[in-house]
Amino acid sequence: MNSTSFFDLVASITERGRDLLARRLTAIDPEHNAKSLIELCEALLSERGEASGLAQAAEILERYLSLDEAERIALFTAFAEKFGPNRERLTKAAKAWLADPQHADAGDLHYYSESVRQELFRRLNRAPGGTHALVGMRADLITLLPQNKHLTPVDRDLAHLLAVWFNRGFLVLHRIDWSTPAIVLEKIIRYEAVHAIHDWADLRRRIDSLDRRCYGFFHPALIDEPLIFVEVALTEKMPAAIGPLLAEDRTVVPLEKARTAVFYSISTCQRGLAGISFGNFLIKQVVEELRRELPNLTTFVTLSPVPGFMQWLQTAENLPLTEEQRAILPSLKEPNWTEKPEEAEQLQKVIEPLAAYYFLKIKRPDGRPRDPVARFHLGNGARLEQIRWLGDRSPRSLSEGAGLMVNYLYDLDDIEKNHEAFVKTGEIITSSAIKKLLKSDPKPRPSTAALPQPRG
Amino acid sequence: MNSTSFFDLVASITERGRDLLARRLTAIDPEHNAKSLIELCEALLSERGEASGLAQAAEILERYLSLDEAERIALFTAFAEKFGPNRERLTKAAKAWLADPQHADAGDLHYYSESVRQELFRRLNRAPGGTHALVGMRADLITLLPQNKHLTPVDRDLAHLLAVWFNRGFLVLHRIDWSTPAIVLEKIIRYEAVHAIHDWADLRRRIDSLDRRCYGFFHPALIDEPLIFVEVALTEKMPAAIGPLLAEDRTVVPLEKARTAVFYSISTCQRGLAGISFGNFLIKQVVEELRRELPNLTTFVTLSPVPGFMQWLQTAENLPLTEEQRAILPSLKEPNWTEKPEEAEQLQKVIEPLAAYYFLKIKRPDGRPRDPVARFHLGNGARLEQIRWLGDRSPRSLSEGAGLMVNYLYDLDDIEKNHEAFVKTGEIITSSAIKKLLKSDPKPRPSTAALPQPRG
Amino acid sequence: MNSTSFFDLVASITERGRDLLARRLTAIDPEHNAKSLIELCEALLSERGEASGLAQAAEILERYLSLDEAERIALFTAFAEKFGPNRERLTKAAKAWLADPQHADAGDLHYYSESVRQELFRRLNRAPGGTHALVGMRADLITLLPQNKHLTPVDRDLAHLLAVWFNRGFLVLHRIDWSTPAIVLEKIIRYEAVHAIHDWADLRRRIDSLDRRCYGFFHPALIDEPLIFVEVALTEKMPAAIGPLLAEDRTVVPLEKARTAVFYSISTCQRGLAGISFGNFLIKQVVEELRRELPNLTTFVTLSPVPGFMQWLQTAENLPLTEEQRAILPSLKEPNWTEKPEEAEQLQKVIEPLAAYYFLKIKRPDGRPRDPVARFHLGNGARLEQIRWLGDRSPRSLSEGAGLMVNYLYDLDDIEKNHEAFVKTGEIITSSAIKKLLKSDPKPRPSTAALPQPRG
Amino acid sequence: MNSTSFFDLVASITERGRDLLARRLTAIDPEHNAKSLIELCEALLSERGEASGLAQAAEILERYLSLDEAERIALFTAFAEKFGPNRERLTKAAKAWLADPQHADAGDLHYYSESVRQELFRRLNRAPGGTHALVGMRADLITLLPQNKHLTPVDRDLAHLLAVWFNRGFLVLHRIDWSTPAIVLEKIIRYEAVHAIHDWADLRRRIDSLDRRCYGFFHPALIDEPLIFVEVALTEKMPAAIGPLLAEDRTVVPLEKARTAVFYSISTCQRGLAGISFGNFLIKQVVEELRRELPNLTTFVTLSPVPGFMQWLQTAENLPLTEEQRAILPSLKEPNWTEKPEEAEQLQKVIEPLAAYYFLKIKRPDGRPRDPVARFHLGNGARLEQIRWLGDRSPRSLSEGAGLMVNYLYDLDDIEKNHEAFVKTGEIITSSAIKKLLKSDPKPRPSTAALPQPRG
């Protein structure tokens, strides 16, 4: 069965419809791109014919790509203002509901309050490449949002639709290796967000070694685009640092000796799908996949960064430190402190307990840990297992996380229990090693921010 | 890349989550299936963890299958009554909207009025086979609806979600032939709705001849289930009857002589997707596909039944007939009239103009033709081309459509124009032959129903 | 990557070359098919150009199909007589070899003695569908051989080439189930040689049940053609009869209870590949495949017919029977003896030991067992495990094997050892149960054939 | 259907057989690799069991990889001396043949003279990866051959077997583009023999532009290994130089303007398949493929190097040059002459006619052109169309071909005719432009080699 022809087919259908459109569109002033696009969108919504509809959708998506930022804002603003719900019908439905909230059908209210742009997006999705184009449109929208708060309802609708379409029931897991098409691999290089992949040789070391694995989620309508992927190293023991794991000259671990799977990098790929989470699902599936392939694996663990630690440290008040301890902190700002054994050792004694304190005691208003990586893994049911001093000596890690790394442990027998405890009571499941670190803390005392804040 | 493993993976994840559930579920009274299912649905909605969520979803879908009709009604009733929108938040939003309909965000109203069951359906979809199960659930719902009007809001929500998921941007066209997996072919046999396929040998004649084609739409999450399919015969000329087309001993038309593609059967397969139209889209894609494969094809035409003709004839008033003509009609009710040349000839003279009248003059309140097949093809932009006397001599066709068949012509250059005329003004584009038939009609005169109505 | 286009491409290349050929071929008398085909073969061999060569090869294979039997014999006779080795060069090489057999290169002799028809077959194979056509040609040849001994050298060459091409390094194992294309499944129905498959419903029971498996070997150039396949039933215990295994209303064995895999049918599909064995290889791979999928399986066993038993019994002399025992044998020829408990019981007491005797004592001149099924499985390293009285009550089984069936056991730890013992010393590894049966035999005594021989 | 599992399966079969072997092999002295390998080969040949045979084959291929050069020579020498034909049987057959050459079956002679190593190679091929390993073995053999003439019979047998297995009827054509697995693409980078591909970005420019194509032949048993591939540029006109075609900043030709397909690089990939030609076949298939995709293409042409020109020029006697012309030739040896317009122009006037003379007049003893690229394309039926002065300014091209390039034209209507003329009479079909160049030659006069010959 030949599915590729589908896109060609649609392409010819739209070709034909486009001729018809071309005749109709000549009246539109080409100078006013956004304006003419809006008219095209209105035509698409009014149109009930499939063929011209497909052509119009393809036309809109194609012309959208040539808009500059101002034009995009104009278009999205029209989406916000002109393509909302039918206000008349909605008012009527709202009154009916309030008159008899017990018996009236809330469905009327729901469907009348649906903004017209949702139908617009659904029709745009019919065009070949429509899903891809809409994900791109949302990425643009996200960029514009901070300066254009009035576009929030548009984003809400588009995000809702994408969340429905990218329901994980539709996602497929693929192993990514040296047999994967280059068109996907180039995106792995581009999207790796944690430990940058420098070139194709670097990529190959990460996906084409016997002791490495990489898996990603894909959507059937976006077969060349990974949505999220995770890189895995197979090791004998739980790793303490990322450097040796990625070293060019490392020794490959024979599969029969591998006991540990290390999730050392998870990257999302589609900015346009921000807010739609796949990650927890991915990790669990990969764990199952690995267990099946390699029954000898006993430990599933991350080697994760602590990206918010330094920012917290720089602004935190009431750090649980003695004056003496506090006096050591500024060394973190010195260049090359990692190469001065004495300073580093002193810092370790202060920072490790502070990190335990940061993970276990510092919460957001909603009661969840301040650290985003911790929220993710603890929310998935992982256990905070080990804090790794100088686990990552890269400049970025030093400046964001004091070089710390963390092992979060995925113990399959406890995932559910941990997850429920975390969700219901906010409890953070952690190892005794980290609890001990915390106990070694002196009592918190008043203290101003320990480090000079960065300016600008 | 290996995508089949996905389902296995999910299966093992849910296995694990199910253990956890099993412990929790023991308290639920096994006698009260619907009740316990409702509790399980509530748990799924309250749950924020992925793994247990997947297991719960799988559990719900599995247990749903064992419900009897009464239990299903009970479950759907709970969906209608308990899983509606949050009334409190909705009331507040409705008031806010009415207070300031110009500026307030209708989005609040929309998202607060979304019933909880929509989220429930989305979570159920995550389970392996979830989409398939939800399509089946909707099929059940449609069956129950006439006797259980209070379930309409549930159907509306489920239908909405399925329409979003089965957006044609996600559908793929596959040719169906003798290389297609048996699991798909058996469904072609089962779902053929127009001219029944008797067995595998009959199927093979329809899909494995050089001058036959079959195409269907598939959804990536339902790879073994055609959604809709069309059967095509390649012929030299526009065909006048279905019998010779399907005859076991017919002569195969050499491809180099084929000039006409005949769409002689279109069948939808998924009752649970009722109301979500794919058909017009399918025909146009197949036309493009055939044009590319066989550039010599010049004519794309249907050979369609007229399923509503006899019912109309039996109940119509004011038929445009002379007394003499009316006197002939009862012959249609006689057995074997088709084999009596004289009677048949007389009937033809009366019925053909009547059929033209039926197609061109008999409209529904919305101005569209009464005949459903005519509505479909004319709505797609086809032209009413020929009425075929005794085009189908099967008992069903004789009793439903007086043995008539119709050619609807898809002329690619006119599809858009025809479609727009039909949609905007209700105009039915037809051939001069059929116009002439109509003119041969005597003026309509008062007349009671021409045929005795069936009882029961 | 799109491999299907390959055949289309070749088709158009040959189309073009064929034009050229058409002009050349007009001189050939169309009445003399074989003669003109022979000329075409000579042209193909003399030709060094690829394109016209492809067209010629396609032409030859196409025209071959329209030959009648006499024409085929004429063609093959030409292959035998005209397309042998170059006799002059060969004579020279033979003399050189005999003059100095120690130092001369035997390669010259080998390559000079290669018949020209081998090159012809290799060139024919280049045409699209060439491999398939050559396999068909060999099937025809095998049919003609008994009456046309002079074609033996042609068969030897073609068989040699096919054996090289169907080297098992090129074969791929596929599971055959309800997702397999119909074009393959219809061949499973057609080629099943042991227990006939009656129709598609019967096929489905054998391949689409949870406790059934089917696997086949395929060659990449013959993707729609299974070469050999095996049908497997998963059971709790070693089965004693085929009837219950294939019964329409049997209870499906849950996978978690399955401990035994029963190979109850092995069929080869391509008569043209006769003499090229795949079977032993297939069984071992399927065993490995099943062990991986279902680690709980402990027993791998066949349920096999004894097709040569009755023929032996009818012609054997010196059967180890008492007079009394011999007197019972004719009951086997009575209709419905299986339904007469008393007679059947008496027969069992005589036949079971006789069967043990047949398997363990009756050898061919080469020291191997007379029974072909026994030779196959024992040669693979299986153990003769159980003789099953009335294991198959079908008329064919009763007339060929007295209704007996046999379990051959594949014990993975012993396969090699058994195989080597069998190959080197002819030893038949068997269970103590069968050994005991043998001991129960009275000493063989002079006796004429026990049963009246069939006439004609 | 899942074919990948095949290799895993075989792997486990061989695993099991290997245990058995391990016990047997302990007696073999590990120091004498070649010797023990030879014993293993003898065991493989004597063995009739499949499972241990597979394990032995896998073992031999694995251990072969660790042999050093001396050990390989020892092994191949054993193949030559010990694994020849059975001399006794052969002598007998040779005598029988000579006694009655008319009636005796030459087949006996053929099959008795087949060396045992052919059966050995066939058995080795059964192991997973066997075909790949044997191709590698032949590559080694080719390297050793010049210094080890006694291995020629081994090479002849292995080459023969590979030619039979790589019969083009088994080859599949794949388009190679950015969707091709990286494991194939890396080989395209590695094997490009004409215009080196520098890195992945360079590769992408060659295969992922709208106006570029790349196609290769693959064998089903070597799916990750292209056998030969051709790179194609789509252009408006016949190109005169390679530089602009490969320039990083070139303008992409819109498909609707493309009229010419330029085959600018053909590379074979498998040294082990040397002597088995695929190239002519590849070009013709690619022409057909392109014609189908892009019916507007009218011209199919190469842009080819002239790799033997300078070597010929340096050694040729009797060049058809005047003294004056001869005096100009040494400029070719000056550095940077291409940047000196005056010198270059003078050279062009001499070299272009010389090139025409080289192509049309300089033949090998067998009457074919001396230039290997010319032999290939003319033998395929192409026409010598244009000589391109300074078509390639790369150092390699300057030193080998004086910077010349050539367009060979593939005119589909003439390919057959040209090919036959070339094969039968040695006639070189060429354009009038080149004929005119030749006529501009002065009569050849005695002359010694025009250029100082390189030393060392």
Side-chain angles (χ1 to χ4, degrees), chain D residues 423-435:
Chain D
V423 165
K424 289 185 181 149
T425 70
E427 187 191 354
I428 293 173
I429 309 298
T430 188
S431 64
S432 54
I434 290 182
K435 281 182 198 146

Side-chain angles (χ1 to χ4, degrees), chain C residues 49-50 87 101 111 168 419, chain D residues 49-50 87 101 111 157 168 419:
Chain C
E50 292 294 344
R87 287 163 183 268
Y111 290 102
R168 65 208 60 186
H419 161 73
Chain D
E50 292 295 343
R87 288 163 181 267
Y111 290 102
D157 282 346
R168 67 209 57 190
H419 160 74

Side-chain angles (χ1 to χ4, degrees), chain A residues 3-299:
Chain A
S3 63
T4 55
S5 58
F6 175 70
F7 296 107
D8 302 328
L9 272 179
V10 177
S12 33
I13 291 184
T14 58
E15 214 56 59
R16 188 165 285 275
R18 202 169 282 158
D19 289 348
L20 199 77
L21 275 173
R23 294 194 293 276
R24 237 191 272 147
L25 289 173
T26 44
I28 296 175
D29 179 1
E31 302 306 323
H32 298 84
N33 272 328
K35 185 158 163 281
S36 74
L37 254 190
I38 294 162
E39 284 171 23
L40 209 46
C41 290
E42 281 166 348
L44 175 60
L45 280 166
S46 73
E47 187 59 61
R48 276 186 279 173
E50 291 295 343
S52 60
L54 260 189
Q56 284 168 326
E59 175 89 13
I60 291 167
L61 295 175
E62 197 182 321
R63 286 169 64 169
Y64 172 80
L65 291 177
S66 66
L67 298 186
D68 61 24
E69 188 181 302
E71 289 168 335
R72 285 179 188 179
I73 294 175
L75 180 70
F76 291 142
T77 302
F79 284 180
E81 292 170 2
K82 287 188 164 186
F83 292 80
N86 180 319
R87 286 162 184 270
E88 221 168 295
R89 285 204 308 178
L90 176 52
T91 300
K92 217 166 134 188
K95 283 180 183 161
W97 165 261
L98 289 175
D100 187 0
Q102 288 320 305
H103 302 96
D105 181 4
D108 279 355
L109 204 44
H110 181 62
Y111 289 103
Y112 289 160
S113 62
E114 188 188 87
S115 53
V116 167
R117 59 189 164 254
Q118 284 212 33
E119 177 62 18
L120 176 66
F121 294 142
R122 291 193 294 256
R123 292 193 180 195
L124 288 174
N125 189 63
R126 293 174 188 168
T131 310
H132 187 261
L134 288 170
V135 170
M137 203 180 268
R138 170 120 196 278
D140 294 342
L141 198 48
I142 289 172
T143 308
L144 297 172
L145 221 47
Q147 305 302 323
N148 298 274
K149 297 287 184 200
H150 68 289
L151 301 182
T152 305
V154 182
D155 182 60
R156 190 190 204 176
D157 282 348
L158 189 47
H160 171 75
L161 210 54
L162 291 173
V164 173
W165 279 333
F166 285 81
N167 184 294
R168 66 208 57 188
F170 301 130
L171 305 187
V172 283
L173 183 80
H174 287 310
R175 176 154 177 203
I176 293 162
D177 58 21
W178 201 235
S179 297
T180 301
I183 195 169
V184 171
L185 294 183
E186 80 167 307
K187 282 156 195 162
I188 299 299
I189 296 179
R190 194 191 308 158
Y191 293 134
E192 158 65 72
V194 188
H195 306 291
I197 299 176
H198 304 300
D199 54 24
W200 285 81
D202 194 7
L203 172 70
R204 186 168 188 177
R205 279 192 296 276
R206 300 215 196 166
I207 64 173
D208 193 33
S209 276
L210 273 177
D211 60 349
R212 294 298 146 99
R213 296 290 183 279
C214 181
Y215 296 90
F217 268 146
F218 293 76
H219 188 275
L222 242 74
I223 48 167
D224 290 339
E225 290 282 349
L227 307 180
I228 186 172
F229 61 90
V230 59
E231 294 167 72
V232 186
L234 304 175
T235 61
E236 297 181 50
K237 295 181 180 167
M238 199 179 301
I242 190 70
L245 221 57
L246 297 183
E248 263 190 55
D249 58 353
R250 69 184 179 79
T251 308
V252 170
V253 177
L255 283 189
E256 62 270 20
K257 287 196 181 169
R259 293 292 175 276
T260 305
V262 184
F263 301 83
Y264 67 89
S265 179
I266 303 173
S267 302
T268 55
C269 308
Q270 308 296 331
R271 187 169 157 72
L273 297 179
I276 306 169
S277 72
F278 314 113
N280 52 358
F281 204 57
L282 177 65
I283 287 185
K284 280 166 204 159
Q285 282 195 225
V286 169
V287 166
E288 295 294 334
E289 179 77 22
L290 288 168
R291 275 160 49 93
R292 200 165 32 181
E293 186 200 342
L294 301 165
N296 288 336
L297 291 180
T298 55
T299 307

Side-chain angles (χ1 to χ4, degrees), chain B residues 340-408:
Chain B
K340 300 170 190 162
E342 214 167 308
E343 273 184 53
E345 196 183 341
Q346 281 187 316
L347 273 168
Q348 181 175 9
K349 282 184 195 151
V350 178
I351 295 292
E352 283 193 347
L354 263 184
Y357 178 81
Y358 167 71
F359 281 118
L360 298 176
K361 299 296 181 190
I362 304 303
K363 306 283 172 82
R364 296 196 310 189
D366 67 358
R368 298 291 145 90
R370 176 177 167 134
D371 190 73
V373 176
R375 276 202 307 279
F376 175 75
H377 290 299
L378 297 171
N380 284 347
R383 183 167 80 190
L384 181 65
E385 189 67 12
Q386 282 284 358
I387 290 170
R388 298 301 190 175
W389 177 248
L390 283 181
D392 185 354
R393 291 162 182 263
S394 72
R396 178 174 160 194
S397 169
L398 291 172
S399 80
E400 290 180 2
L404 292 172
M405 296 201 86
V406 173
N407 297 127
Y408 298 96

